[in-house]
Amino acid sequence: MSRFSLKGWSGKLLRVDLTAGTCTDEVLNEQWAKEYLGGRGLGTKYFTEEVAADVDPFSAENKLILAAGPLTGTYGAANGRYMVITKSPLTGTIASSNSGGYFPCELRYAGYDMVIFEGKAEYPSYLQIHNDKAQLVGAVHLWGKSTKETEDQILAEFHGDAKIACIGQAGENLVSFAAIINDKHRAAGRTGIGAVMGSKNLKAIAVRGTGGVKIADPVAYREAALDSYALLKANPVSGEGLPALGTPVLVNVINQMGALPTNNFQKDTFDGAEAISGEALASTYLKRNKGCMGCVIGCGRVTGLAGSRFDGDGEGPEYETLFSLGSACGVDDLAAITKANYICNEYGMDTITIGTTIACAMELAEKGLVTEEEIGMPLSFGDADAMVKLVEMAGKREGFGEKLAMGSYRMAESFGAPELSMSVKKLEFPAYDGRGIQGIGLNYATSNRGACHVRGYMISPEVLGLPEKLDPQATEDKAVWTKIFQDFTATVDSSGVCLFTTFAIGAPQFANFLTAATGAEFTEATIMEIGERIYNMERVFNLKAGVDPSQDTLPKRLLEEPISDGPLKGEVAKLGEMLPEYYQERGWSTEGIPTDERLQTLGLV
């Protein structure tokens, strides 16, 4: 192999041909690494170069890429993230899902920046990596097992210190929103990447690495790390709110402002919010907080249901789960939500999509569009036991679970009411109503993977006041802010660093980190340019895949039906005021197509 000259990156990827059963090392493309970093950016670059946009997500021609960033596994602020890139079976868009924990760092310590899976195994298999040795082994004995059972079995038969990413029964059953679970509780959750993994008969990736990550300038890197530590600790969100209550700290905050979607977005305040809040979780089922490898924030929640009517222990629920399985379904039973969250982790499912799909089913039932006989049980908002049962049925594709496994859009469409799916590009909404928070609504509409809050977290300025406070109901300059957040997030996702660090550190700090780690020169301007390049690359792929600009929209409910209750009663999403300016800010045509000039400037043509 030729040499890779830069530090930070390992400079090596592993290509796994599942059809042939071979594992081959390749040198990472150094020019691409400089232009796209790693993770989301570099993984998507490889994917779009190698896979046709019209590929069937479940075909052998689709590929599945696991990609760390050049900062993954270093001792910086919270540098333990990786991305999974493929074509989504749920949305038909480019899919890239993020996860943390310990698995991403272990991949780097084994000497790899990326693993590319292609083809399809003849029978269930899993990948073993032990430093520079990689092999596919049979996984027939693991097929049908939960993610917890799978990890325990692999630890016993491969290596007790291995780190593992795997699918559960949902991925095996091709549930369209199946997730990949690593370290038992961390999820690369959205867009159905676990179903693609299942379609390839790939059960798990087990990695044991004993190497490290080489830094170009250790002294400068240490200074950058110490600077970031101080900023993170001094920040009210990363230094106080998240360590104390985790992401559930937002339940009461968003409910009190009147933007917590309830009963499938029919209301925006939830009477049971206090019962499912971060404060309630801390006083009932919380055992301790927990961080991913090297994290100084520690937002994870280790929980257990002792003393409740359910059993089990694990991690979570997160804020988005408390919304999707809670307020969206009208459920204020914290134990039931936590139990359903555990089931999602064990079966390997995206909690946002399954929860909001159940909420959609509840409204279909409320409107008489689906019968009790079709569902197999009575179903109404607030029914906690039915919610828990339906989560499990979806993972098994059992009974009405067949419908739920389609996701909310296809399920609602099958009953003649696609407008009841609260989604964009067939990806379900997270826990903020775009009628009450205008910038997040614009971000939902223009996100390259559908309704996603972490593609451009406008909640930071519009609600939390970071880096400055914006009026959530104003539309002025929201296009500018949304583009900045989307581009910066793309770079963060490509570096291997947790997005939560961006409450406190920005492009200048990331430039310092990457320059010191890699030896290449990064500035605040190049950080933003890399993100813009990645965002446009994803946009071009989606256009080729048939996801046209007409899908840069929001459900009719958000555009035409005013919020019915609470402090923001009467508000609607003002997307029409923001979208033309957004296209202009991006340098796209008035129809939302990236211009040749913009693509040339970014080096994409």
Side-chain angles (χ1 to χ4, degrees):
M1 294 192 300
S2 59
R3 291 178 59 83
F4 187 95
S5 65
L6 295 169
K7 298 292 194 297
W9 295 275
S10 300
K12 185 172 66 173
L13 67 84
L14 179 66
R15 188 176 296 272
V16 181
D17 187 328
L18 293 164
T19 304
T22 59
C23 301
T24 308
D25 287 353
E26 295 180 12
V27 175
L28 204 66
N29 186 309
E30 187 165 324
Q31 186 60 40
W32 289 358
K34 292 178 182 177
E35 294 173 349
Y36 299 93
L37 296 180
R40 175 179 165 189
L42 190 58
T44 302
K45 176 62 175 175
Y46 270 90
F47 185 85
T48 57
E49 290 289 334
E50 297 184 6
V51 181
D54 62 355
V55 69
D56 181 339
F58 288 149
S59 71
E61 289 71 35
N62 194 15
K63 297 188 181 185
L64 184 75
I65 299 178
L66 281 62
L71 300 181
T72 304
T74 64
Y75 63 86
N79 299 359
R81 312 298 293 190
Y82 86 115
M83 303 291 296
V84 182
I85 298 94
T86 187
K87 186 178 180 183
S88 169
L90 179 67
T91 66
T93 66
I94 191 74
S96 58
S97 291
N98 185 293
S99 184
Y102 289 75
F103 172 83
C105 301
E106 200 77 7
L107 185 64
R108 294 297 317 279
Y109 300 154
Y112 293 102
D113 296 302
M114 185 184 303
V115 182
I116 301 176
F117 292 99
E118 51 194 30
K120 178 180 179 178
E122 183 179 355
Y123 52 83
S125 305
Y126 78 93
L127 176 67
Q128 293 179 346
I129 302 174
H130 193 168
N131 291 325
D132 60 351
K133 293 181 173 58
Q135 64 174 347
L136 287 165
V137 298
V140 173
H141 62 301
L142 300 174
W143 210 252
K145 293 185 180 296
S146 72
T147 57
K148 281 188 175 181
E149 293 168 334
T150 298
E151 179 158 337
D152 287 341
Q153 181 66 39
I154 292 174
L155 289 172
E157 68 187 36
F158 171 49
H159 197 295
D161 292 322
K163 302 298 181 284
I164 295 155
C166 63
I167 57 171
Q169 299 94 323
E172 297 170 3
N173 293 331
L174 307 188
V175 172
S176 65
F177 46 86
I180 297 174
I181 305 293
N182 60 272
D183 305 303
K184 291 187 178 179
H185 311 290
R186 301 284 90 195
R190 307 224 68 192
T191 63
I193 57 172
V196 174
M197 190 164 161
S199 76
K200 294 184 174 300
N201 276 332
L202 179 63
K203 180 65 175 178
I205 303 97
V207 184
R208 176 57 181 154
T210 57
V213 179
K214 294 181 179 179
I215 298 297
D217 189 338
V219 173
Y221 192 86
R222 182 175 183 274
E223 291 176 357
L226 291 174
D227 176 50
S228 294
Y229 290 157
L231 291 170
L232 287 164
K233 287 298 184 183
N235 183 273
V237 176
S238 58
E240 297 176 21
L242 288 173
L245 295 175
T247 59
V249 70
L250 287 170
V251 173
N252 282 329
V253 172
I254 302 301
N255 190 59
Q256 288 166 9
M257 75 173 291
L260 179 62
T262 300
N263 291 10
N264 201 35
F265 284 72
Q266 294 182 87
K267 297 171 57 182
D268 262 15
T269 59
F270 184 42
D271 291 341
E274 183 60 45
I276 65 170
S277 65
E279 292 82 355
L281 184 66
S283 66
T284 51
Y285 308 121
L286 179 68
K287 295 180 178 180
R288 59 184 174 88
N289 70 329
K290 180 181 178 181
C292 298
M293 187 168 182
C295 179
V296 298
I297 299 173
C299 71
R301 307 289 97 179
V302 179
T303 54
L305 287 172
S308 78
R309 62 194 180 94
F310 297 99
D311 59 3
D313 56 71
E315 293 185 23
E318 302 286 346
Y319 167 63
E320 304 298 334
T321 306
L322 291 163
F323 142 75
S324 64
L325 298 169
S327 67
C329 294
V331 170
D332 63 2
D333 185 332
L334 183 56
I337 296 167
T338 304
K339 179 63 177 180
N341 176 74
Y342 294 164
I343 295 170
C344 286
N345 284 346
E346 291 173 14
Y347 277 78
M349 287 188 288
D350 172 17
T351 61
I352 298 177
T353 287
I354 182 55
T356 51
T357 300
I358 292 171
C360 180
M362 288 175 168
E363 186 172 358
L364 287 167
E366 180 182 71
K367 287 179 163 51
L369 298 173
V370 60
T371 66
E372 182 178 325
E373 290 71 28
E374 289 173 300
I375 300 169
M377 67 185 80
L379 185 62
S380 60
F381 287 110
D383 191 336
D385 290 336
M387 180 273 290
V388 174
K389 179 61 177 175
L390 288 172
V391 168
E392 189 168 7
M393 289 170 64
K396 293 178 177 179
R397 295 195 81 125
E398 175 185 274
F400 193 69
E402 280 283 357
K403 289 287 189 181
L404 296 170
M406 301 163 69
S408 69
Y409 185 87
R410 291 182 178 86
M411 179 191 70
E413 186 178 45
S414 74
F415 291 107
E419 71 278 3
L420 298 186
S421 167
M422 297 298 105
S423 61
V424 171
K425 302 178 178 76
K426 300 183 178 66
L427 184 69
E428 287 76 11
F429 278 113
Y432 316 91
D433 194 324
R435 291 173 293 188
I437 309 169
Q438 296 296 325
I440 200 68
L442 176 61
N443 172 64
Y444 291 157
T446 57
S447 165
N448 286 327
R449 71 172 187 175
C452 174
H453 58 303
V454 290
R455 279 299 184 265
Y457 194 61
M458 286 294 291
I459 300 305
S460 187
E462 291 185 291
V463 177
L464 302 176
L466 297 170
E468 64 181 79
K469 187 69 172 72
L470 302 182
D471 178 356
Q473 273 302 299
T475 58
E476 185 180 2
D477 292 333
K478 292 296 174 69
V480 176
W481 279 88
T482 298
K483 177 185 180 297
I484 289 170
F485 267 74
Q486 289 175 340
D487 290 348
F488 182 43
T489 298
T491 299
V492 174
D493 285 346
S494 304
S495 69
V497 178
C498 177
L499 184 62
F500 285 176
T501 62
T502 62
F503 291 123
I505 64 176
Q509 286 78 26
F510 274 83
N512 292 339
F513 266 129
L514 287 164
T515 298
T518 68
E521 183 66 30
F522 292 91
T523 65
E524 183 175 354
T526 58
I527 291 295
M528 299 307 297
E529 182 182 359
I530 288 168
E532 185 175 9
R533 180 178 299 118
I534 294 164
Y535 213 84
N536 278 266
M537 172 176 60
E538 293 170 336
R539 178 77 169 189
V540 169
F541 178 89
N542 284 349
L543 290 168
K544 291 178 179 178
V547 183
D548 62 55
S550 69
Q551 297 187 47
D552 292 343
T553 190
L554 297 170
K556 180 180 178 181
R557 174 163 291 166
L558 272 68
L559 294 172
E560 298 180 13
E561 298 178 23
I563 293 175
S564 64
D565 66 327
L568 298 174
K569 182 178 180 179
E571 296 291 345
V572 295
K574 304 177 182 72
L575 181 64
E577 297 178 20
M578 299 179 286
L579 191 59
E581 183 185 354
Y582 175 86
Y583 287 162
Q584 184 177 17
E585 286 294 324
R586 282 237 168 258
W588 297 349
S589 72
T590 55
E591 291 77 30
I593 307 294
T595 63
D596 289 342
E597 181 182 8
R598 173 54 59 189
L599 296 179
Q600 288 170 0
T601 299
L602 296 170
L604 291 171
V605 291

